[in-house]
């Protein structure tokens, strides 16, 4: 991977983290954990990989991104704002009355959001449908979809997976945010995944790429580039991430949602700002 | 083009599902954005014909209705016009959260098709007998709900739904049933049809109950009672004008539906009447019961879905004026 590109994506990921914290911090509570774990993937997708145009968000041949783990909305809003779909500060209206930035991503509310999600498992099917829709119409572009490891408790994820493999959707890439935590605790304790999500998706017919570090932009970028070369098969990229990565109060607890004190917010945002400055100057 | 009533209570030699398939063949031929999604029930409604003629636009998702609903919504989001079929019990109850969110809430206007409505599920029995399918969808904002009465109406309204930009739920009787209308009859979404004149009582029916209502009209006529008969293929949005006119001119109403009365056509009509023109109303339909297995004629008798039941209800409604 090009060194400058890697640096740029690391900076973008740090900016996304900082803005994600500011967005959730504007309301004081929210889904910090599953937002922060996805920042690096969002940086790779919107910073380099995806064919999108913030000035023409509905252009037909765009790549799609479906955040099936819709409670990660804030990381999406930070990314789209920084990408130029709207001023990122607009998203500081998160969950306020009449907001365009609801807790879960909504395609009718927020510019740049491709599908509405929130009822877990459903985004996976919708993304598969979008990929089929592109194939049926001969429209270029890839549909990227992110599910959580907790979300993989939902049977619908697996219905969608078997459908993607059956229809040989090589224009479909599934990310699994394998952050090992769900609302009630460790995934291994609440509802474990047998031989593992990688093994399951392999059995379902996916080309599976498991990353040692799902918070490393280089590993993510290389995996997406490899996925693009695969024909006749969907690809799953298993992101071994840290829930709450970069949010000091959430990273330590692995919490699904957080409501820290104002002092803790101030501290976390300051630390995140310092992390951004450090990467910029590296 | 208007409608032409036949109403001789004669069985149609054709299967009703073929009215849907004929419409879909024409729609898919004319517009390469029209697609059909099925859940391993292509052979049940003869959409295998669509799969043969349009293999890339006929998607079979297997026995996975929840995924099928989401896939249909995702396809619609890319600009396709998508019909999605399963048995009515599955395309309503089984995939309701998916229909609610992926189709309706996020405005991906899929046209959902539920076959074997109510007692027409017959030998598939109680597990497969949806008496509540439309009732579930009555709760969903902007949803269009259609219960068709015969082949010609199924053909016509399927074509109208394809051009409708709202999500819809269409009940589809599979097998042959009675011919009510002449082929070529042209129906509109959201419109009721007065099939028989009369000012003593108005019978408002849909689906298999339309023919029963026409029979009831004849029985009542022999007794000197003039019953208006209205076919109401669209449950939502309701044709309020024709209902309020009937209430004003007849002074009492009987509703007849192959569905739970608590959440169906009758309750929607009573909601309208109570606010605007309260008149006595009697409800023919499923009275808070589950389905069961058996031939359709047995089930219609068991659940009081016959012309004689409508006649009794009409007399009761008239007595309450």
């Amino acid at each position: 991977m090009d060194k400058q590109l890697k640096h740029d994506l690391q900076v973008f990921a740090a900016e996304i983290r900082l803005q994600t914290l500011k967005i959730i911090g504007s309301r004081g509570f929210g889904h910090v954990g599953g937002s922060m774990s996805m920042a690096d993937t969002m940086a790779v997708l919107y910073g380099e990989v995806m064919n999108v145009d913030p000035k023409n968000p509905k252009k037909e041949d765009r790549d799609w991104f479906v955040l099936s783990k819709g409670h990660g909305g804030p990381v999406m809003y930070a990314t789209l704002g920084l990408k130029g779909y709207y001023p990122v500060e607009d998203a500081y209206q998160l969950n306020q009355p009449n907001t365009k930035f609801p807790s879960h991503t909504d395609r009718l509310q927020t510019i740049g959001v491709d599908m509405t999600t929130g009822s877990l498992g459903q985004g996976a099917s919708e993304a598969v449908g979008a990929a089929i829709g592109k194939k049926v119409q001969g429209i270029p572009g890839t549909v990227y979809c992110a599910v959580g490891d907790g979300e993989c408790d939902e049977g619908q994820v697996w219905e969608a997976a078997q459908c993607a493999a059956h229809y040989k959707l090589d224009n479909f890439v599934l990310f699994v945010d394998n952050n090992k935590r769900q609302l009630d605790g460790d995934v291994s304790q609440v509802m474990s995944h047998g031989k593992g999500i990688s093994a399951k998706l392999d059995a379902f017919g996916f080309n599976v790429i498991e990353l040692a570090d799902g918070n490393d932009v280089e590993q993510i970028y290389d995996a997406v580039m490899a996925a693009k070369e695969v024909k006749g098969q969907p690809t799953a990229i298993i992101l071994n991430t840290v829930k709450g990565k970069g949010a000091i109060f959430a990273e330590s607890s692995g919490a699904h949602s957080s409501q820290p004190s104002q002092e803790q917010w101030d501290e976390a945002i300051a630390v995140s700002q310092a992390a951004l400055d450090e990467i910029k100057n590296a | 083009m208007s409608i032409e009533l036949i109403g001789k209570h004669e069985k149609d030699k054709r299967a009703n599902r073929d009215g849907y398939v004929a419409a879909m063949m024409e729609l898919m031929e004319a517009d390469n954005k029209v697609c059909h999604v099925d859940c391993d029930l292509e052979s049940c409604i003869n959409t295998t014909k669509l799969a043969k003629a349009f293999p890339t636009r006929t998607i079979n998702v297997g026995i996975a209705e929840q995924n099928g609903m989401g896939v249909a919504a995702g396809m619609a989001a890319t600009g396709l016009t998508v019909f999605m079929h399963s048995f009515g019990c599955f395309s309503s109850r089984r995939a309701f959260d998916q229909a609610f969110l992926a189709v309706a809430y996020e405005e991906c206007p899929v046209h959902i098709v539920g076959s074997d409505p109510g007692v027409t599920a017959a030998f598939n029995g109680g597990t497969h007998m949806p008496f509540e399918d439309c009732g579930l969808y009555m709760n969903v904002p902007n949803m269009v709900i259609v219960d068709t009465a015969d082949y010609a109406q199924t053909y016509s309204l399927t074509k109208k739904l394809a051009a409708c930009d709202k999500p819809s739920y269409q009940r589809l009787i599979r097998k042959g049933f009675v011919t009510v209308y002449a082929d070529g009859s042209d129906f509109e979404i959201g419109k009721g049809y007065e099939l028989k004149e009369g000012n003593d009582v108005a019978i408002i029916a849909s689906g298999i109950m339309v023919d029963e209502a026409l029979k009831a009209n004849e029985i009542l006529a022999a007794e000197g009672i003039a019953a208006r008969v209205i076919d109401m293929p669209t449950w939502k949005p309701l044709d309020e004008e024709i209902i309020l006119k009937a209430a004003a001119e007849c002074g009492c109403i009987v509703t007849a539906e192959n569905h739970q009365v608590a959440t169906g056509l009758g309750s929607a009509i009573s909601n309208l009447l109570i606010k605007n023109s309260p008149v006595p109303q009697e409800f023919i339909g499923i009275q808070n019961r589950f389905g069961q297995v058996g031939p359709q004629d047995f089930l219609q008798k068991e659940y009081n879905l016959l012309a004689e039941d409508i006649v009794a209800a009409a007399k009761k409604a008239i007595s309450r004026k």
Side-chain angles (χ1 to χ4, degrees):
Chain A
M1 184 183 193
D2 178 77
K3 271 189 177 176
Q4 184 61 46
L5 176 61
K6 181 176 180 178
H7 181 258
D8 291 347
L9 293 180
Q10 286 174 327
V11 169
F12 191 29
E15 287 175 330
I16 291 170
R17 284 210 159 81
L18 175 61
Q19 287 300 333
T20 300
L21 285 178
K22 287 187 174 179
I23 288 166
I24 304 174
S26 70
R27 203 70 177 89
F29 58 88
H31 296 110
V32 175
S35 294
M36 297 298 273
S37 56
M38 283 297 295
D40 311 284
T41 300
M42 300 303 284
V44 170
L45 289 177
Y46 283 90
E48 177 63 18
V49 170
M50 283 174 64
N51 171 23
V52 289
D53 180 359
K55 303 292 172 233
N56 186 12
K58 295 278 184 194
K59 74 168 184 160
E60 195 181 43
D61 67 345
R62 73 187 185 277
D63 293 322
W64 288 44
F65 177 69
V66 179
L67 186 65
S68 188
K69 41 172 287 180
H71 52 277
V75 78
M76 185 92 188
Y77 305 147
T79 306
L80 295 175
L82 291 167
K83 183 75 178 170
Y85 285 80
Y86 43 78
V88 72
E89 293 79 12
D90 286 4
Y92 297 172
Q93 291 298 308
L94 179 77
N95 289 341
Q96 299 289 349
N98 301 314
T99 186
K100 292 290 180 193
F101 300 91
S103 56
H104 299 77
T105 46
D106 188 324
R107 79 185 194 110
L108 303 178
Q109 295 292 332
T110 314
I111 299 164
V113 170
D114 287 314
M115 294 303 294
T116 299
T117 54
S119 181
L120 292 175
Q122 291 206 27
S125 296
E126 295 171 32
V128 168
I132 291 173
K134 275 182 173 288
K135 288 254 182 194
V136 164
Q137 296 173 87
I139 301 170
T142 298
V143 178
Y144 298 95
C145 175
V147 296
D149 51 352
E151 181 177 8
C152 289
D153 294 353
E154 292 279 6
Q156 192 174 348
V157 169
W158 302 100
E159 289 189 2
Q162 69 183 4
C163 189
H166 177 81
Y167 280 99
K168 305 183 192 311
L169 297 180
D170 48 19
N171 62 342
F172 178 71
V173 175
L174 180 71
F175 291 99
V176 180
D177 184 11
N178 197 34
N179 59 32
K180 327 279 191 308
R181 295 277 295 180
Q182 58 192 107
L183 196 147
D184 272 340
D186 290 343
V187 167
S188 61
Q189 296 296 315
V190 176
M191 185 51 63
S192 52
H193 287 293
K195 292 181 178 175
I197 293 172
S198 289
K200 281 181 165 179
L201 284 167
D202 177 67
F204 271 68
F206 272 67
N207 167 49
V208 178
I209 304 171
E210 180 151 6
L211 305 186
D213 183 356
N215 294 119
D216 177 347
V217 293
E218 183 168 4
Q219 290 185 35
I220 299 164
Y221 177 83
D222 288 347
V224 174
M225 289 301 111
K228 279 179 171 290
E229 298 305 313
V230 175
K231 298 295 169 211
Q233 193 183 20
T235 291
I237 299 172
I238 314 301
L239 305 160
N240 284 302
T241 58
V242 174
K243 196 155 187 170
K245 175 85 173 175
I248 49 171
F249 56 80
E251 189 172 332
S252 53
S253 70
H256 179 72
S257 58
S258 310
Q259 190 168 7
S261 67
Q262 189 57 53
E263 291 72 28
Q264 286 174 303
W265 273 117
D266 294 343
E267 185 190 7
I269 288 169
V271 169
S272 186
Q273 179 70 60
L276 171 60
D277 294 341
E278 187 183 337
I279 290 168
K280 268 186 178 169
N281 297 326
Chain B
M1 178 73 200
S2 57
I3 64 159
E4 183 188 339
L5 179 67
I6 293 181
K8 291 180 180 167
H9 324 302
E10 287 172 352
K11 284 263 181 196
D12 197 323
K13 286 176 187 152
R14 301 166 299 186
N16 185 63
R17 60 193 168 204
D18 291 334
Y20 172 78
V21 174
M24 287 298 289
M25 284 293 281
E26 290 176 26
L27 288 163
M28 292 175 83
E29 180 70 41
D31 182 354
N32 64 13
K33 286 193 181 299
V34 179
C35 301
H36 177 88
V37 174
D38 218 311
C39 306
D40 193 38
L41 293 174
E42 288 180 352
S43 302
C44 286
I45 61 163
N46 291 347
T47 47
T48 41
K49 284 182 188 169
L50 304 181
K52 266 187 199 148
F54 310 102
T56 61
R57 285 188 279 139
T58 306
I59 305 294
N60 196 333
V61 297
I63 310 164
E65 298 81 11
Q66 296 159 69
N67 179 59
M69 196 69 79
V71 164
M75 291 170 68
T78 67
L80 294 167
T81 300
V82 187
F83 285 72
M84 186 276 183
H85 166 257
S86 185
F87 285 153
C89 47
F90 307 133
S91 57
S92 61
R93 293 198 308 262
R94 180 88 186 210
F96 187 65
D97 188 38
Q98 288 74 15
F100 185 96
L101 289 174
V103 173
Y105 180 78
E106 62 176 303
E107 296 182 7
C108 298
V110 173
H111 301 296
I112 302 161
V113 181
S115 56
D116 287 2
V119 293
T120 70
F123 294 110
N124 272 334
T127 55
H128 286 56
M129 195 163 286
F131 290 152
E132 62 298 310
D133 50 338
C134 296
L136 286 164
Y137 284 115
M138 291 292 251
N139 291 291
V140 182
N142 302 321
M143 204 83 193
V144 171
I145 300 171
V146 166
D147 182 30
T148 52
D150 76 346
Y151 183 103
Q153 197 175 61
T154 299
Y155 170 84
S156 174
L157 283 175
T158 298
K159 289 196 135 185
K160 296 292 165 69
L161 287 169
C164 174
D165 61 3
K166 292 200 164 93
S168 68
Y169 176 73
Q170 173 188 6
R171 284 183 133 191
L172 179 68
I173 294 168
R174 264 201 285 169
K175 307 258 168 82
F177 69 125
V178 177
T179 300
V180 178
Y181 299 102
D183 280 5
S185 292
D186 186 43
F187 297 88
E188 299 294 332
I189 295 167
K191 196 163 163 20
Y193 296 89
E194 185 176 315
L195 306 184
K196 294 286 180 185
E197 295 179 350
N199 286 338
D200 293 330
V201 58
I203 303 164
I204 306 177
S206 72
I208 62 166
M209 299 309 291
V210 174
D211 185 59
E212 298 299 326
L214 291 169
K215 285 186 206 159
N217 163 279
E218 291 163 17
I219 297 167
L220 289 164
E223 298 182 34
I225 297 170
R228 183 177 302 190
V229 175
I230 295 170
D231 177 9
M232 193 66 73
T234 309
W235 289 19
K236 190 179 178 185
L238 265 185
D239 183 347
E240 298 187 353
E241 190 181 335
I242 199 170
I243 297 166
L244 294 174
K245 184 167 177 282
E249 293 175 0
C250 303
C252 64
I253 302 276
V254 173
T255 50
E257 60 196 298
N258 175 24
H259 190 274
Q260 295 286 359
V261 295
T263 57
L265 178 63
S267 62
I269 288 173
S270 70
N271 279 343
L272 173 72
L273 292 176
I274 203 72
K275 282 186 285 190
N276 296 279
S277 178
V279 295
Q281 180 180 351
E282 294 294 325
F283 299 77
I284 295 296
I286 308 304
Q287 310 287 342
N288 197 30
R289 292 176 64 189
F290 290 111
Q292 62 184 303
V293 77
Q296 186 177 323
D297 54 356
F298 159 77
L299 293 167
Q300 282 191 244
K301 191 170 174 56
E302 173 67 23
Y303 291 98
N304 302 108
L305 300 179
L306 293 169
E308 64 203 50
D309 302 303
I310 297 175
V311 166
K315 289 177 181 172
K316 191 173 177 193
I318 291 168
S319 75
R320 291 174 54 209
K321 279 203 223 180

Short mmCIF file of all heavy atoms in Angstrom, two decimals, chain A residues 55-82:
data_model
loop_
_atom_site.label_atom_id
_atom_site.label_comp_id
_atom_site.label_asym_id
_atom_site.label_seq_id
_atom_site.Cartn_x
_atom_site.Cartn_y
_atom_site.Cartn_z
N LYS A 55 -21.69 15.37 -4.35
CA LYS A 55 -22.53 16.35 -5.05
C LYS A 55 -23.65 15.67 -5.85
O LYS A 55 -24.57 16.32 -6.32
CB LYS A 55 -21.68 17.21 -6.01
CG LYS A 55 -20.53 17.93 -5.32
CD LYS A 55 -21.06 19.02 -4.37
CE LYS A 55 -19.92 19.60 -3.54
NZ LYS A 55 -20.21 19.55 -2.09
N ASN A 56 -23.50 14.38 -6.04
CA ASN A 56 -24.50 13.60 -6.78
C ASN A 56 -24.72 12.28 -6.04
O ASN A 56 -24.37 11.21 -6.54
CB ASN A 56 -24.01 13.38 -8.22
CG ASN A 56 -25.07 12.71 -9.08
OD1 ASN A 56 -26.24 12.60 -8.69
ND2 ASN A 56 -24.66 12.22 -10.24
N PRO A 57 -25.31 12.37 -4.85
CA PRO A 57 -25.32 11.19 -3.96
C PRO A 57 -26.12 10.00 -4.49
O PRO A 57 -25.93 8.89 -4.03
CB PRO A 57 -25.93 11.73 -2.66
CG PRO A 57 -26.60 13.02 -3.01
CD PRO A 57 -25.89 13.57 -4.22
N LYS A 58 -27.01 10.23 -5.45
CA LYS A 58 -27.83 9.13 -5.96
C LYS A 58 -27.34 8.63 -7.32
O LYS A 58 -28.08 7.91 -8.01
CB LYS A 58 -29.30 9.59 -6.11
CG LYS A 58 -29.96 9.94 -4.78
CD LYS A 58 -30.47 8.69 -4.08
CE LYS A 58 -31.22 9.06 -2.81
NZ LYS A 58 -31.44 7.91 -1.94
N LYS A 59 -26.16 9.04 -7.73
CA LYS A 59 -25.74 8.65 -9.09
C LYS A 59 -25.79 7.13 -9.24
O LYS A 59 -25.45 6.38 -8.32
CB LYS A 59 -24.36 9.21 -9.41
CG LYS A 59 -23.20 8.54 -8.74
CD LYS A 59 -21.91 9.02 -9.40
CE LYS A 59 -20.72 8.28 -8.81
NZ LYS A 59 -19.55 8.34 -9.67
N GLU A 60 -26.27 6.73 -10.42
CA GLU A 60 -26.69 5.34 -10.60
C GLU A 60 -25.55 4.34 -10.44
O GLU A 60 -25.72 3.27 -9.87
CB GLU A 60 -27.34 5.18 -11.98
CG GLU A 60 -28.12 3.89 -12.12
CD GLU A 60 -28.74 3.73 -13.50
OE1 GLU A 60 -28.06 4.02 -14.51
OE2 GLU A 60 -29.92 3.31 -13.57
N ASP A 61 -24.38 4.69 -10.94
CA ASP A 61 -23.29 3.70 -10.95
C ASP A 61 -22.43 3.75 -9.70
O ASP A 61 -21.34 3.19 -9.66
CB ASP A 61 -22.43 3.89 -12.20
CG ASP A 61 -21.66 5.20 -12.18
OD1 ASP A 61 -22.00 6.09 -11.35
OD2 ASP A 61 -20.71 5.35 -12.98
N ARG A 62 -22.94 4.40 -8.65
CA ARG A 62 -22.15 4.51 -7.43
C ARG A 62 -21.99 3.15 -6.75
O ARG A 62 -22.79 2.23 -6.97
CB ARG A 62 -22.82 5.48 -6.44
CG ARG A 62 -24.07 4.94 -5.77
CD ARG A 62 -24.77 6.00 -4.93
NE ARG A 62 -25.90 5.49 -4.18
CZ ARG A 62 -27.12 5.31 -4.65
NH1 ARG A 62 -27.37 5.59 -5.92
NH2 ARG A 62 -28.09 4.85 -3.87
N ASP A 63 -20.99 3.07 -5.90
CA ASP A 63 -20.93 1.97 -4.94
C ASP A 63 -21.88 2.30 -3.80
O ASP A 63 -22.08 3.47 -3.46
CB ASP A 63 -19.50 1.81 -4.41
CG ASP A 63 -18.52 1.35 -5.47
OD1 ASP A 63 -18.91 0.52 -6.32
OD2 ASP A 63 -17.37 1.82 -5.46
N TRP A 64 -22.47 1.25 -3.23
CA TRP A 64 -23.40 1.44 -2.11
C TRP A 64 -22.73 0.99 -0.82
O TRP A 64 -21.88 0.10 -0.82
CB TRP A 64 -24.66 0.59 -2.30
CG TRP A 64 -25.62 1.05 -3.36
CD1 TRP A 64 -25.31 1.47 -4.62
CD2 TRP A 64 -27.05 1.10 -3.26
NE1 TRP A 64 -26.45 1.79 -5.31
CE2 TRP A 64 -27.53 1.58 -4.50
CE3 TRP A 64 -27.96 0.80 -2.26
CZ2 TRP A 64 -28.90 1.75 -4.75
CZ3 TRP A 64 -29.31 0.97 -2.51
CH2 TRP A 64 -29.78 1.44 -3.74
N PHE A 65 -23.16 1.60 0.27
CA PHE A 65 -22.75 1.09 1.58
C PHE A 65 -23.99 1.00 2.47
O PHE A 65 -24.72 1.97 2.63
CB PHE A 65 -21.71 1.99 2.25
CG PHE A 65 -21.34 1.51 3.63
CD1 PHE A 65 -20.61 0.34 3.78
CD2 PHE A 65 -21.74 2.20 4.76
CE1 PHE A 65 -20.29 -0.14 5.06
CE2 PHE A 65 -21.43 1.72 6.04
CZ PHE A 65 -20.70 0.55 6.19
N VAL A 66 -24.21 -0.18 3.01
CA VAL A 66 -25.36 -0.41 3.89
C VAL A 66 -24.83 -0.77 5.28
O VAL A 66 -24.20 -1.82 5.46
CB VAL A 66 -26.27 -1.54 3.35
CG1 VAL A 66 -27.44 -1.77 4.30
CG2 VAL A 66 -26.76 -1.21 1.94
N LEU A 67 -25.06 0.10 6.22
CA LEU A 67 -24.64 -0.16 7.60
C LEU A 67 -25.77 -0.93 8.29
O LEU A 67 -26.64 -0.34 8.94
CB LEU A 67 -24.36 1.17 8.32
CG LEU A 67 -23.78 1.07 9.74
CD1 LEU A 67 -22.38 0.44 9.71
CD2 LEU A 67 -23.73 2.43 10.40
N SER A 68 -25.73 -2.26 8.09
CA SER A 68 -26.83 -3.06 8.63
C SER A 68 -26.89 -2.94 10.15
O SER A 68 -27.97 -2.98 10.73
CB SER A 68 -26.66 -4.53 8.21
OG SER A 68 -27.80 -5.28 8.56
N LYS A 69 -25.73 -2.80 10.77
CA LYS A 69 -25.71 -2.51 12.22
C LYS A 69 -26.01 -1.02 12.38
O LYS A 69 -25.14 -0.20 12.70
CB LYS A 69 -24.38 -2.92 12.86
CG LYS A 69 -23.13 -2.61 12.06
CD LYS A 69 -21.87 -2.86 12.85
CE LYS A 69 -21.70 -1.78 13.91
NZ LYS A 69 -20.51 -1.93 14.75
N GLY A 70 -27.27 -0.70 12.15
CA GLY A 70 -27.68 0.70 11.97
C GLY A 70 -27.46 1.59 13.17
O GLY A 70 -27.41 2.82 13.04
N HIS A 71 -27.28 0.97 14.35
CA HIS A 71 -27.02 1.79 15.54
C HIS A 71 -25.66 2.47 15.47
O HIS A 71 -25.36 3.34 16.28
CB HIS A 71 -27.11 0.93 16.81
CG HIS A 71 -26.27 -0.30 16.76
ND1 HIS A 71 -26.68 -1.46 16.14
CD2 HIS A 71 -25.03 -0.54 17.24
CE1 HIS A 71 -25.72 -2.37 16.25
NE2 HIS A 71 -24.71 -1.83 16.90
N GLY A 72 -24.85 2.07 14.49
CA GLY A 72 -23.57 2.76 14.28
C GLY A 72 -23.74 4.05 13.48
O GLY A 72 -22.75 4.62 13.00
N GLY A 73 -24.96 4.52 13.37
CA GLY A 73 -25.26 5.74 12.62
C GLY A 73 -24.25 6.87 12.77
O GLY A 73 -23.80 7.45 11.76
N PRO A 74 -23.83 7.21 14.00
CA PRO A 74 -22.92 8.36 14.15
C PRO A 74 -21.62 8.24 13.35
O PRO A 74 -21.13 9.25 12.83
CB PRO A 74 -22.66 8.37 15.66
CG PRO A 74 -23.93 7.84 16.25
CD PRO A 74 -24.37 6.76 15.30
N VAL A 75 -21.07 7.04 13.22
CA VAL A 75 -19.82 6.93 12.44
C VAL A 75 -20.10 7.18 10.96
O VAL A 75 -19.27 7.71 10.22
CB VAL A 75 -19.13 5.56 12.68
CG1 VAL A 75 -19.79 4.44 11.89
CG2 VAL A 75 -17.65 5.66 12.32
N MET A 76 -21.31 6.82 10.53
CA MET A 76 -21.73 7.10 9.15
C MET A 76 -21.88 8.61 8.96
O MET A 76 -21.43 9.16 7.96
CB MET A 76 -23.08 6.39 8.92
CG MET A 76 -23.60 6.46 7.52
SD MET A 76 -23.04 5.05 6.57
CE MET A 76 -23.59 5.53 4.95
N TYR A 77 -22.52 9.26 9.93
CA TYR A 77 -22.77 10.70 9.80
C TYR A 77 -21.45 11.47 9.82
O TYR A 77 -21.29 12.45 9.08
CB TYR A 77 -23.68 11.19 10.93
CG TYR A 77 -24.99 10.45 11.02
CD1 TYR A 77 -25.62 10.24 12.25
CD2 TYR A 77 -25.60 9.92 9.88
CE1 TYR A 77 -26.82 9.54 12.33
CE2 TYR A 77 -26.79 9.21 9.96
CZ TYR A 77 -27.39 9.02 11.19
OH TYR A 77 -28.57 8.32 11.27
N ALA A 78 -20.51 11.04 10.65
CA ALA A 78 -19.20 11.69 10.69
C ALA A 78 -18.51 11.53 9.34
O ALA A 78 -17.97 12.50 8.77
CB ALA A 78 -18.35 11.07 11.80
N THR A 79 -18.55 10.33 8.80
CA THR A 79 -17.86 10.04 7.54
C THR A 79 -18.46 10.84 6.38
O THR A 79 -17.73 11.48 5.61
CB THR A 79 -17.96 8.52 7.22
OG1 THR A 79 -17.47 7.79 8.34
CG2 THR A 79 -17.17 8.18 5.99
N LEU A 80 -19.78 10.81 6.27
CA LEU A 80 -20.44 11.51 5.16
C LEU A 80 -20.23 13.02 5.28
O LEU A 80 -20.05 13.72 4.27
CB LEU A 80 -21.93 11.17 5.12
CG LEU A 80 -22.28 9.71 4.81
CD1 LEU A 80 -23.79 9.48 4.91
CD2 LEU A 80 -21.79 9.30 3.43
N GLY A 81 -20.25 13.53 6.51
CA GLY A 81 -20.03 14.96 6.71
C GLY A 81 -18.62 15.35 6.30
O GLY A 81 -18.41 16.31 5.56
N LEU A 82 -17.65 14.59 6.75
CA LEU A 82 -16.25 14.88 6.40
C LEU A 82 -16.01 14.70 4.90
O LEU A 82 -15.18 15.38 4.31
CB LEU A 82 -15.32 13.96 7.20
CG LEU A 82 -15.25 14.25 8.70
CD1 LEU A 82 -14.57 13.10 9.45
CD2 LEU A 82 -14.51 15.57 8.97
#
